[in-house]
Amino acid sequence: MDREKYLSQIDEVIKAGPYENTWDSLCEHPTPKWYEKGKFGIFIHWGVYSVPAFGDEWYPRKVYQQGSKENHHHLEKYGPLNEFGYKDFIPMFKAEKFDPKEWADLFEEAGAKFVVPVAEHHDGFQMYASELSHWNAAEMGPKRDVLGELKTEVEKNGMVLGASSHRAEHFWFFNGGRLIPESDVYEEMGSLEHDRSDEDSAKDSLYWPAAGIMRNHDDLYDNPPTEEFMQDWLVRTCEIVDKYRPKLIFFDWWIQEYKWKPYLRKFAAYYYNRAAEWGEEVAIDAKFDAYVKGSAVRDLERGQLDHITPDFWQNDTSVAKNSWGYTEGNDYKKPSDVVMDLVDVVSKNGALLLNVGPKADGTIPEEDAHILREIGKWLKVNGEAIYNTKPWKIFGEGPTVVPEGSFTDTYQKNFTSEDFRFTCRSNYIYAIVLKWPEDGEIHIRCMGKHQELLKTTIRDIELLGTGLHPSYFRNEALDIGCGKSFDFGDMPAVLKITVE
């Protein structure tokens, strides 16, 4: 593919479309209705890193950091990095049992409304058929267009396809190898002092550009990407848009580095204008302040809010506590913990994007599948409290604090029978009981007769999935007597409150 021609095409599409390359224009782009209503999606981290299945999906970076556990493991199991580097895992990534229909059926069973495969992770190996690089799954490893096959089956099952790009971090991802003379990165890219990244042979390497030194990549001004790399990023990302027409594009964290801003605007204008051509509703997910408020959907990695926000947002998290990709010995969450995170996020005007990490052979681990099926069972009974809902006047009540911020998903919350979350739709309020009381007696304080939050008549209450319409009285609290007959285990229960 001629990159220069593609860059010109990008400019032409922006010039001709309704969205301009300005924050003012991009902030006029609406959040898709399918996204706001769907609430629950599946994220898929699958790539070459699933072959070593050690540490986490950052194995390709950490293996080139001398002294790391990944480095020690690799040297012991595979030998020196100049004889067997990360790229040598690609032929071992065969995906011989990959069945996209089986995956899509499982995601539908889980109750997901959208699916977001990783199109390219930090390692630079594309999981789709690309005309820009031969380091892709259609030409190497599985020799299959993974993203294309998933698109067919996901959309056939009525779900929305998205795609994520983690390409930005590739700029520096392999730079540790430049400090190890006995590594293939060093041989192909040179040392930091004797840089070979401008040579044609280096640009054809999986590892290119392996730029910069080992500094703090959280710094907004540290190790800025080159124009050449950002142009390559833009063309790659627009190729995903044009070939697969995903309705959601997810970006990982490093794009908040200040030099990315013009390219982020340009991509958004291109994507939103393409979607306008297709007559489709689309969204961009981004972290921190990479995109200005109102121009994209805010994403919190493994994180939650402590309040309702008027802007729709997303929590991306994983079934495993320790990794996004498959690793041997993953530390898995309980299904109930994931369901309660979903409930909490939705009550605060958010969506949950839940990640699974398939094995190198293309199978989804049984632990991942079990969690998805348990979520699906709960949603089959209680989904009306999640899908197509809005936050109520307050997100909930109770003594248990959910901390705000990223990387809080492993915080043990220990909900009590006094902890509730609320959603609403039409003339229904859904009171979600996060821990069912042994005596079956429910007391919702904010709905008591002297409270200002509910100044209307309650016509009926139903305990979803049971057929029970319990007795209730509005005293100092809304007191609901459900009896001792029900045991919901560690899953939340839902009271559907019908009001006039």
Side-chain angles (χ1 to χ4, degrees):
M1 178 183 291
D2 187 326
R3 283 176 169 78
E4 292 302 319
K5 286 182 68 175
Y6 210 141
L7 289 168
S8 296
Q9 173 188 300
I10 291 168
D11 289 336
E12 290 168 6
V13 169
I14 294 172
K15 186 177 180 180
Y19 292 98
E20 300 174 4
N21 179 12
T22 67
W23 291 127
D24 281 343
S25 180
L26 298 176
C27 285
E28 294 297 316
H29 184 266
T31 303
K33 295 298 182 186
W34 64 259
Y35 201 2
E36 293 180 326
K37 293 179 178 181
K39 309 294 187 186
F40 178 51
I42 300 297
F43 208 2
I44 310 168
H45 274 67
W46 190 40
V48 178
Y49 43 83
S50 63
V51 176
F54 184 88
D56 57 26
E57 71 289 345
W58 277 49
Y59 184 98
R61 176 166 173 78
K62 295 175 182 177
V63 73
Y64 292 101
Q65 294 177 339
Q66 290 178 308
S68 70
K69 66 177 183 180
E70 289 81 2
N71 181 258
H72 285 306
H73 169 81
H74 191 96
L75 294 176
E76 290 178 7
K77 187 169 183 178
Y78 303 105
L81 285 163
N82 59 344
E83 296 179 12
F84 192 103
Y86 179 71
K87 69 177 185 298
D88 296 300
F89 285 118
I90 294 173
M92 301 167 67
F93 182 39
K94 297 178 180 178
E96 65 273 18
K97 297 180 182 179
F98 171 50
D99 183 343
K101 182 181 185 305
E102 188 176 279
W103 286 22
D105 288 346
L106 175 62
F107 302 154
E108 183 181 21
E109 183 182 352
K113 299 302 181 184
F114 51 99
V115 178
V116 184
V118 170
E120 181 180 351
H121 206 254
H122 310 322
D123 64 352
F125 189 78
Q126 299 159 299
M127 296 296 290
Y128 59 95
S130 174
E131 296 179 34
L132 296 164
S133 169
H134 62 278
W135 298 102
N136 69 74
E139 296 184 44
M140 298 181 177
K143 296 188 177 177
R144 296 174 68 173
D145 182 358
V146 172
L147 183 58
E149 292 185 39
L150 282 171
K151 173 183 172 67
T152 299
E153 298 301 332
V154 162
E155 293 180 345
K156 191 183 295 183
N157 283 22
M159 295 174 286
V160 170
L161 180 88
S164 78
S165 170
H166 309 243
R167 173 71 185 178
E169 293 84 350
H170 185 77
F171 181 69
W172 44 260
F173 203 60
F174 287 103
N175 61 13
R178 288 175 176 256
L179 303 177
I180 305 175
E182 299 81 21
S183 77
D184 56 343
V185 174
Y186 190 99
E187 291 176 352
E188 295 177 24
M189 307 305 300
S191 67
L192 291 173
E193 294 78 16
H194 300 93
D195 185 14
R196 294 178 50 208
S197 61
D198 284 337
E199 298 177 11
D200 289 342
S201 61
K203 290 181 181 180
D204 195 44
S205 168
L206 172 68
Y207 306 128
W208 181 85
I213 59 175
M214 311 294 281
R215 297 194 302 248
N216 177 17
H217 296 295
D218 290 329
D219 187 333
L220 292 177
Y221 307 98
D222 185 49
N223 196 16
T226 61
E227 286 294 317
E228 181 182 18
F229 183 81
M230 290 187 290
Q231 288 178 356
D232 179 73
W233 171 89
L234 179 63
V235 172
R236 284 176 183 245
T237 315
C238 290
E239 182 188 37
I240 295 170
V241 167
D242 289 331
K243 289 196 70 168
Y244 303 100
R245 296 193 178 188
K247 295 181 184 175
L248 187 155
I249 290 288
F250 176 104
F251 289 127
D252 210 346
W253 58 282
W254 195 60
I255 59 167
Q256 83 269 11
E257 208 275 349
Y258 85 104
K259 282 201 72 175
W260 284 105
K261 293 293 185 175
Y263 285 87
L264 298 182
R265 286 198 308 271
K266 181 172 282 193
F267 171 74
Y270 183 80
Y271 184 37
Y272 293 165
N273 284 330
R274 277 299 200 208
E277 289 178 23
W278 308 330
E280 299 285 2
E281 293 183 302
V282 302
I284 294 172
D285 289 341
K287 301 173 183 178
F288 306 111
D289 291 308
Y291 278 89
V292 302
K293 184 177 183 292
S295 63
V297 174
R298 178 190 182 191
D299 181 87
L300 277 175
E301 182 172 349
R302 293 184 179 269
Q304 289 165 248
L305 298 180
D306 62 6
H307 63 284
I308 297 173
T309 174
D311 298 312
F312 185 69
W313 63 285
Q314 179 177 268
N315 169 1
D316 73 299
T317 190
S318 185
V319 295
K321 300 176 184 178
N322 59 301
S323 178
W324 293 89
Y326 171 73
T327 61
E328 295 177 3
N330 264 348
D331 182 10
Y332 285 97
K333 299 174 182 176
K334 295 191 299 182
S336 58
D337 288 340
V338 178
V339 169
M340 284 189 274
D341 281 350
L342 172 63
V343 166
D344 182 71
V345 166
V346 172
S347 74
K348 296 166 183 174
N349 201 28
L352 184 73
L353 183 62
L354 179 67
N355 178 74
V356 295
K359 296 181 179 180
D361 65 3
T363 57
I364 293 177
E366 185 51 44
E367 296 90 342
D368 298 51
H370 169 71
I371 292 171
L372 295 189
R373 291 191 180 103
E374 291 300 305
I375 296 169
K377 289 176 185 176
W378 188 86
L379 283 169
K380 191 171 184 179
V381 174
N382 302 290
E384 65 176 277
I386 300 296
Y387 308 125
N388 303 317
T389 62
K390 297 180 182 296
W392 192 53
K393 298 175 184 178
I394 58 175
F395 69 81
E397 70 173 36
T400 306
V401 175
V402 174
E404 178 163 328
S406 300
F407 301 101
T408 59
D409 65 333
T410 58
Y411 173 80
Q412 189 61 43
K413 301 174 181 75
N414 297 319
F415 289 114
T416 73
S417 59
E418 295 180 3
D419 286 300
F420 301 91
R421 293 294 180 268
F422 305 120
T423 62
C424 64
R425 176 179 59 83
S426 183
N427 63 321
Y428 307 113
I429 303 168
Y430 298 95
I432 304 167
V433 189
L434 298 182
K435 182 177 181 181
W436 190 254
E438 291 183 6
D439 61 6
E441 297 294 319
I442 307 296
H443 309 285
I444 306 176
R445 301 183 188 283
C446 69
M447 295 185 186
K449 65 181 180 180
H450 297 304
Q451 299 298 318
E452 296 295 324
L453 286 174
L454 190 61
K455 291 291 187 180
T456 189
T457 300
I458 295 176
R459 193 168 69 197
D460 181 55
I461 297 179
E462 177 186 0
L463 182 59
L464 293 185
T466 69
L468 177 70
H469 293 259
S471 60
Y472 58 90
F473 300 93
R474 294 188 75 180
N475 300 310
E476 293 304 311
L478 172 58
D479 298 322
I480 308 168
C482 296
K484 299 181 180 180
S485 303
F486 304 107
D487 181 6
F488 297 98
D490 56 1
M491 285 288 192
V494 179
L495 292 161
K496 180 181 181 180
I497 302 170
T498 306
V499 298
E500 291 289 357

